[in-house]
Amino acid sequence: MKIVQAIKKLNETFVFNEKRILLKEPLVLVFGNRYMLESEHLYAEVKDLFPNSHIVFGTTSGEIIDDRVLDGTVVLTAIEFEKSSVVIKRSNINDFKNNDHKLGESLMAEFPKENLKHLFIISEGSSVNGSALISGLEMVKNAGISLSGGLCGDDDRFERTLASYNESPKEGEIIAIGFYGKTLEITSSNYGGWTPFGPERIITKSEGNILFELDGKPALDLYKKYLGEKANELPKSALLYPLSVRIEEDSEPLVRTILNIDDNKNTMILAGDVPEGSKVQLMMSSVEDIANGAFHAAELAMNGRKQNPELALLISCIGRKLVMDQRTEEEIEEVKSVIGDDTFISGFYSYGEMAPFSGQKECKLHNQTMTLTLFSE
């Protein structure tokens, strides 16, 4: 595996971190600030750097490269697989009339199954129901194929997110990267570091990822009551107080972040499903808890690996970044202390993370977690 990385700042060209080397048909991952990815010239600029390549774009709520967290930039990671190959497919939610489950099924069905080891998803994050998308992918996915990825971000604006494959970034896109190869070793994991508090309530009315009522009362009214003055900053302030959702009594709780609110309908729109009958609690965290969570996520991803990772793709939640503030890089440093200095690191802060729970195979949508996907040939 050969890897080169570069950073682009506003009104500047890409600057490579090390001496640039020629790569054969690389996978080029381009993560960056939405305003910069809206530039009509960016795709052509990347294409000029890597003419025969697979270029995947995604907007962020912060860019990760090595042990750094950047804002208002574009980070580029180009990977040449020497023993493996990639197949990339794309789809758009508008083509499926916002039926995310059906889109997931259709997208997964496009991939040849022989020697497919892993599917990495970079999805628009503004309107997609991430858990429905995953359930569609899982519906037709073979058991031996692992799945991870994340939802694109737009800082804390929640206005629009963009993604694309071999074209300029646009809205509504879901990109799936299939990794093929007998020698590939790919592991993924996630961990949060958030603590529930306050009374446990029951979801009494919901539709998919739209939450109407808790304990028979309007959910948005209850949430605003807890937030107090911070309710005026919704939906941004909701990132500091996500919901713990336990769907079944003996199941692992999922964390759900509020993507938006509808004051007219008095509802909350979350990143994934919130089924009726589920029990929910508010959650909170600290800088230390989040950093420790990142360390634990890295330990889980490294557990049982036969080879040292050559590439790590990190997707962490915008809510963690808001809590960490000036200390955000500490969680990346914790990851690096576990996976080692020889691993190339890239990634972004997101509106949702995709990975299985530890010890499980089926992928889930998470919020407020650090998610790692580690690659080696």
Coordinates of all heavy atoms in Angstrom, one line a residue, residues 58-59 119-125 128 130 133-134 147-153 163 173-175 315-316 348-355 363 365-366 371 373:
G58 N -16.3 14.3 0.2 CA -17.3 14.4 1.3 C -17.1 15.6 2.1 O -15.9 15.9 2.5
T59 N -18.1 16.3 2.4 CA -18.0 17.5 3.3 C -18.0 17.1 4.8 O -18.4 16.0 5.2 CB -19.2 18.5 3.1 OG1 -20.4 17.8 3.3 CG2 -19.2 19.0 1.7
L119 N -17.2 -2.8 2.9 CA -17.9 -1.7 2.3 C -17.7 -0.5 3.2 O -18.1 -0.5 4.3 CB -19.3 -2.0 2.0 CG -20.0 -1.4 0.8 CD1 -19.3 -1.9 -0.5 CD2 -21.5 -1.7 0.7
F120 N -17.2 0.6 2.6 CA -17.0 1.9 3.4 C -18.0 2.9 2.7 O -17.9 3.2 1.5 CB -15.6 2.4 3.3 CG -15.3 3.5 4.3 CD1 -15.0 3.2 5.6 CD2 -15.3 4.8 3.9 CE1 -14.8 4.2 6.5 CE2 -15.1 5.8 4.7 CZ -14.8 5.6 6.1
I121 N -18.8 3.5 3.6 CA -19.9 4.4 3.1 C -19.6 5.8 3.4 O -19.2 6.1 4.6 CB -21.3 4.0 3.7 CG1 -21.6 2.5 3.4 CG2 -22.3 4.9 3.2 CD1 -21.8 2.2 2.0
I122 N -19.7 6.7 2.4 CA -19.6 8.2 2.7 C -20.9 8.7 2.2 O -21.2 8.7 1.0 CB -18.4 8.8 2.0 CG1 -17.1 8.3 2.6 CG2 -18.5 10.3 2.1 CD1 -15.9 8.7 1.8
S123 N -21.8 9.1 3.1 CA -23.2 9.5 2.8 C -23.5 10.9 3.0 O -22.9 11.5 4.0 CB -24.1 8.6 3.6 OG -25.5 9.1 3.5
E124 N -24.3 11.5 2.2 CA -24.9 12.8 2.6 C -25.4 12.7 4.0 O -25.9 11.7 4.4 CB -25.9 13.3 1.5 CG -27.3 12.7 1.7 CD -28.1 13.7 2.5 OE1 -28.0 14.9 2.4 OE2 -28.9 13.2 3.3
G125 N -25.4 13.9 4.7 CA -25.8 13.8 6.1 C -26.9 14.7 6.5 O -27.3 14.8 7.7
V128 N -30.6 12.2 5.1 CA -30.7 10.7 5.1 C -31.0 10.1 6.5 O -30.6 10.7 7.5 CB -29.3 10.1 4.6 CG1 -28.2 10.3 5.6 CG2 -29.5 8.6 4.2
G130 N -29.9 7.5 8.5 CA -28.7 6.6 8.4 C -29.0 5.1 8.8 O -28.5 4.2 8.2
L133 N -30.7 3.4 5.9 CA -29.8 3.1 4.8 C -28.9 1.9 5.2 O -28.8 1.0 4.3 CB -28.8 4.3 4.7 CG -27.6 4.2 3.8 CD1 -28.0 3.9 2.3 CD2 -26.7 5.4 3.8
I134 N -28.5 1.8 6.4 CA -27.7 0.6 6.8 C -28.5 -0.6 6.8 O -28.0 -1.7 6.3 CB -27.1 0.9 8.3 CG1 -26.1 2.0 8.2 CG2 -26.6 -0.4 8.8 CD1 -25.6 2.4 9.6
L147 N -18.9 -3.7 7.3 CA -19.4 -2.4 6.8 C -19.1 -1.3 7.8 O -19.2 -1.5 9.0 CB -20.9 -2.5 6.7 CG -21.8 -1.3 6.3 CD1 -21.4 -0.8 4.9 CD2 -23.3 -1.6 6.4
S148 N -18.7 -0.1 7.3 CA -18.4 1.0 8.2 C -18.5 2.3 7.4 O -18.7 2.2 6.1 CB -17.1 0.9 8.9 OG -16.0 1.0 8.0
G149 N -18.4 3.5 8.0 CA -18.4 4.7 7.3 C -19.0 5.8 8.1 O -19.0 5.8 9.3
G150 N -19.6 6.8 7.4 CA -20.2 7.9 8.1 C -21.0 8.9 7.3 O -21.0 8.8 6.0
L151 N -21.7 9.8 7.9 CA -22.5 10.8 7.3 C -21.7 12.1 7.2 O -21.1 12.5 8.2 CB -23.8 11.0 8.1 CG -24.7 9.8 8.4 CD1 -25.9 10.3 9.1 CD2 -25.0 9.0 7.2
C152 N -21.7 12.7 6.0 CA -21.0 13.9 5.8 C -21.5 15.0 6.8 O -22.6 15.0 7.3 CB -21.1 14.4 4.4 SG -20.3 13.3 3.2
G153 N -20.7 16.0 7.0 CA -21.0 17.1 7.9 C -21.0 18.5 7.2 O -20.5 18.6 6.1
A163 N -21.4 15.2 -1.4 CA -20.5 14.0 -1.6 C -20.5 13.8 -3.1 O -21.4 14.3 -3.9 CB -20.9 12.8 -0.9
E173 N -26.0 12.6 -2.4 CA -25.2 11.5 -2.8 C -24.8 10.5 -1.7 O -24.4 11.0 -0.6 CB -23.9 12.0 -3.5 CG -24.2 12.7 -4.9 CD -24.5 11.7 -6.0 OE1 -23.6 10.9 -6.4 OE2 -25.7 11.6 -6.4
I174 N -24.8 9.2 -2.0 CA -24.3 8.2 -1.1 C -23.3 7.4 -1.9 O -23.6 6.9 -3.0 CB -25.4 7.3 -0.6 CG1 -26.3 8.0 0.4 CG2 -24.8 6.1 0.1 CD1 -27.5 8.6 -0.2
I175 N -22.1 7.4 -1.4 CA -20.9 6.7 -2.1 C -20.6 5.5 -1.3 O -20.4 5.5 -0.1 CB -19.7 7.6 -2.2 CG1 -20.1 9.0 -2.7 CG2 -18.7 7.0 -3.1 CD1 -20.8 9.1 -4.0
I315 N -13.7 8.5 11.8 CA -14.9 9.4 11.7 C -15.4 9.6 13.1 O -15.8 8.7 13.8 CB -16.0 8.7 10.8 CG1 -15.5 8.6 9.4 CG2 -17.3 9.6 10.8 CD1 -16.5 8.0 8.4
S316 N -15.4 10.9 13.5 CA -15.9 11.2 14.9 C -17.0 12.2 14.7 O -17.2 12.9 13.7 CB -14.7 11.8 15.6 OG -15.1 12.1 17.0
F348 N -12.8 12.6 9.2 CA -13.5 13.8 9.3 C -14.5 13.7 10.5 O -14.8 12.7 11.0 CB -14.3 14.2 8.0 CG -15.3 13.2 7.6 CD1 -16.6 13.3 7.9 CD2 -14.9 12.1 6.7 CE1 -17.6 12.4 7.5 CE2 -15.9 11.2 6.3 CZ -17.2 11.3 6.7
Y349 N -15.0 14.9 10.9 CA -16.0 15.0 11.9 C -17.4 15.0 11.1 O -17.5 15.7 10.1 CB -15.9 16.2 12.8 CG -14.8 16.0 13.8 CD1 -13.5 16.1 13.5 CD2 -15.2 15.5 15.1 CE1 -12.5 15.8 14.5 CE2 -14.2 15.2 16.1 CZ -12.9 15.3 15.7 OH -11.9 15.0 16.7
S350 N -18.4 14.3 11.7 CA -19.5 13.9 10.9 C -20.8 14.2 11.6 O -20.9 14.6 12.8 CB -19.4 12.4 10.6 OG -19.8 11.7 11.8
Y351 N -21.9 13.9 10.9 CA -23.3 13.9 11.5 C -23.7 12.5 11.9 O -24.9 12.3 12.3 CB -24.3 14.5 10.5 CG -24.1 16.0 10.3 CD1 -24.8 16.7 9.3 CD2 -23.3 16.8 11.2 CE1 -24.7 18.1 9.2 CE2 -23.2 18.2 11.0 CZ -23.9 18.8 10.0 OH -23.8 20.2 9.9
G352 N -22.9 11.5 11.8 CA -23.3 10.1 12.1 C -22.2 9.2 11.7 O -21.5 9.4 10.7
E353 N -22.0 8.1 12.5 CA -20.9 7.2 12.3 C -21.5 5.8 12.1 O -22.5 5.4 12.8 CB -19.9 7.1 13.5 CG -19.4 8.5 13.9 CD -20.4 9.3 14.8 OE1 -20.7 8.8 15.9 OE2 -20.8 10.4 14.4
M354 N -20.9 5.0 11.3 CA -21.4 3.6 11.0 C -20.3 2.6 11.3 O -19.2 2.6 10.9 CB -21.7 3.5 9.5 CG -22.7 4.4 8.9 SD -22.9 4.2 7.1 CE -24.1 5.5 6.8
A355 N -20.7 1.6 12.2 CA -19.8 0.6 12.6 C -20.6 -0.4 13.4 O -21.6 -0.1 14.0 CB -18.6 1.1 13.4
C363 N -23.7 -3.9 11.2 CA -23.4 -2.5 11.4 C -24.6 -1.7 11.9 O -25.7 -2.1 11.7 CB -23.0 -1.9 10.0 SG -22.5 -0.2 10.0
L365 N -25.9 2.5 13.0 CA -25.7 4.0 13.0 C -25.5 4.5 14.4 O -26.3 4.1 15.3 CB -26.8 4.7 12.3 CG -26.6 6.3 12.4 CD1 -25.6 6.7 11.3 CD2 -27.9 7.0 12.2
H366 N -24.4 5.2 14.6 CA -24.1 5.8 15.9 C -24.0 7.3 15.8 O -23.7 7.8 14.7 CB -22.8 5.2 16.5 CG -22.7 3.7 16.4 ND1 -23.2 2.9 17.5 CD2 -22.2 2.9 15.5 CE1 -23.0 1.7 17.1 NE2 -22.4 1.6 16.0
T371 N -15.2 6.5 15.5 CA -15.3 5.2 14.8 C -14.0 5.1 14.0 O -13.5 6.0 13.3 CB -16.5 5.2 13.8 OG1 -17.7 5.2 14.6 CG2 -16.4 4.0 12.9
T373 N -11.7 2.7 11.1 CA -11.6 1.6 10.2 C -10.2 1.5 9.8 O -9.6 2.4 9.3 CB -12.5 1.8 8.9 OG1 -13.8 2.1 9.3 CG2 -12.5 0.5 8.0

